[in-house]
Amino acid sequence: MSNPYQPIKAEIKKVIVETPQIKTFVLEPEKGLPFLSGQFMQVTVPGVGECPFTPSSDPKNSETIEFTVMKTGQATGAMHELKPGEMVGLRGPFGRPYPLPDFHGKDIYIIGGGVGIAPLRALLLALFHELDQLNKIELRLGARSPDDLPFKKEMADWGKREKTSLVLTVDRGSESWTGKVGVVTGIMQPGDVKPDLAVAIVCGPPVMMKFATKKLLDLGIGDKNIYLSMEKNMSCGIGKCFHCNLGSHLCCKDGPVFTWEQVKEIPDPW
């Protein structure tokens, strides 16, 4: 039996500066690590520690894996100092993915904020392979400012894809910003999707997820059709340390993707 705590080596092939605080690391593992959108991996920075991240790249790309990381603490700060050619460790994938077959025949409503857009990118790239089985994709994404939006270069192409619509907003605009200004819930409007035919996926800061979920419920989306990425302190990744409990759930094993129906009875699940 393989050791679930033993990471495999992965070489950093490229580092992409997305924003002043967010970088995307393109990694080449020494052996294949297939994953599904929504699953996460533990990324080890040698001599520092490891952190859980959900890949941001296309799950169908078997040669490289991308992780989009915000600099928030010691491990992520150390990761931001790494350069191409250096090595990290990877464990996983862990957790339950988005149930893509259940999305077929539906309007897909994707709500994201800040670095939470990163795991949604993996989902979106996976959905692009299945566009013929979806009604449409409505993207509603936001950040604090235009400079804080990751994936700016490719976002314009997302909105031009067949069956796909993109609306961006920022809390604070700039002279060159032509998109919306305000919080993400302000660009979620009746008519964006058909409530009885829609599934919604939300990922971002806890306060954004809280109010986006409330808005989705107001728009008539059903509890079981609202998918939330509830990333907690997922340390071991295999349900042994119990650091990521969410009510009776463990985020690393039972999540990190949950429906609102699964967590709505938990006091302040955010």
Side-chain angles (χ1 to χ4, degrees), residues 3-10 30-31 33 42-44 50 88-92:
N3 182 352
Y5 297 103
Q6 179 64 48
I8 69 167
K9 295 178 181 177
E30 63 181 6
K31 65 178 183 180
L33 275 179
Q42 296 284 0
V43 181
T44 302
E50 65 176 13
V88 296
L90 293 177
R91 292 197 293 125

Side-chain angles (χ1 to χ4, degrees), residues 23 29 67 70 82 89 91 118 121 133 146 161 165 193 224 230 241 248 252 260-261:
K23 292 182 178 180
F67 293 89
M70 174 178 278
L82 296 176
R91 292 197 293 125
R121 177 182 182 242
Q133 301 186 73
R161 296 291 296 258
S165 174
V193 294
K224 66 180 180 181
M230 305 294 286
C241 72
S248 61
C252 68
W260 175 240
E261 185 174 56

Side-chain angles (χ1 to χ4, degrees), residues 6-267:
Q6 179 64 48
I8 69 167
K9 295 178 181 177
E11 181 180 351
I12 299 174
K13 305 301 291 185
K14 187 176 182 181
V15 179
I16 302 167
V17 178
E18 303 283 358
T19 78
Q21 295 295 320
I22 299 174
K23 292 182 178 180
T24 293
F25 297 84
V26 182
L27 308 182
E28 182 179 70
E30 63 181 6
K31 65 178 183 180
L33 275 179
F35 70 96
L36 298 172
S37 60
Q39 290 185 301
F40 73 97
M41 298 186 190
Q42 296 284 0
V43 181
T44 302
V45 180
V48 180
E50 65 176 13
C51 290
F53 298 109
T54 300
S56 57
S57 53
D58 187 345
K60 289 190 178 296
N61 183 354
S62 59
E63 295 184 357
T64 60
I65 301 175
E66 298 177 21
F67 293 89
T68 300
V69 178
M70 174 178 278
K71 184 179 179 181
T72 59
Q74 183 179 13
T76 54
M79 194 166 177
H80 268 234
E81 298 301 317
L82 296 176
K83 304 291 189 299
E86 295 190 90
M87 307 295 288
V88 296
L90 293 177
R91 292 197 293 125
F94 301 118
R96 298 172 60 188
Y98 294 106
L100 296 197
D102 292 348
F103 294 179
H104 294 169
K106 302 289 183 63
D107 295 354
I108 311 300
Y109 205 16
I110 297 177
I111 317 298
V115 75
I117 297 171
L120 295 177
R121 177 182 182 242
L123 170 66
L124 182 64
L125 296 175
L127 291 173
F128 282 157
H129 293 293
E130 304 184 8
L131 272 177
D132 60 334
Q133 301 186 73
L134 307 174
N135 291 345
K136 65 175 181 176
I137 299 174
E138 294 285 343
L139 288 161
R140 300 294 182 270
L141 307 177
R144 290 177 298 180
S145 73
D147 289 340
D148 293 313
L149 273 172
F151 315 120
K152 282 187 282 289
K153 291 183 179 178
E154 62 186 276
M155 273 187 178
D157 291 333
W158 294 351
K160 296 176 182 175
R161 296 291 296 258
E162 181 187 4
K163 298 184 179 181
T164 306
S165 174
L166 167 67
V167 179
L168 298 175
T169 189
V170 294
D171 296 345
R172 302 183 305 276
S174 65
E175 290 185 0
S176 60
W177 177 251
T178 58
K180 305 286 187 181
V181 176
V183 296
V184 170
T185 49
I187 55 173
M188 298 166 62
Q189 300 297 326
D192 286 344
V193 294
K194 296 179 180 177
D196 57 339
L197 287 177
V199 294
I201 302 98
V202 186
C203 188
V207 67
M208 187 222 82
M209 293 181 65
K210 176 179 179 178
F211 287 99
T213 299
K214 183 177 185 302
K215 185 65 174 282
L216 289 167
L217 295 170
D218 291 343
L219 291 174
I221 311 294
D223 295 354
K224 66 180 180 181
N225 291 322
I226 298 174
Y227 292 84
L228 307 166
S229 186
M230 305 294 286
E231 297 186 3
K232 301 293 183 182
N233 182 16
M234 299 177 290
S235 297
C236 70
I238 55 175
K240 299 296 185 183
C241 72
F242 293 90
H243 286 167
C244 63
N245 64 297
L246 180 64
S248 61
H249 305 291
L250 292 176
C251 284
C252 68
K253 289 186 66 176
D254 305 322
V257 175
F258 293 96
T259 65
W260 175 240
E261 185 174 56
Q262 290 176 293
V263 301
K264 66 180 182 180
E265 301 299 334
I266 300 172

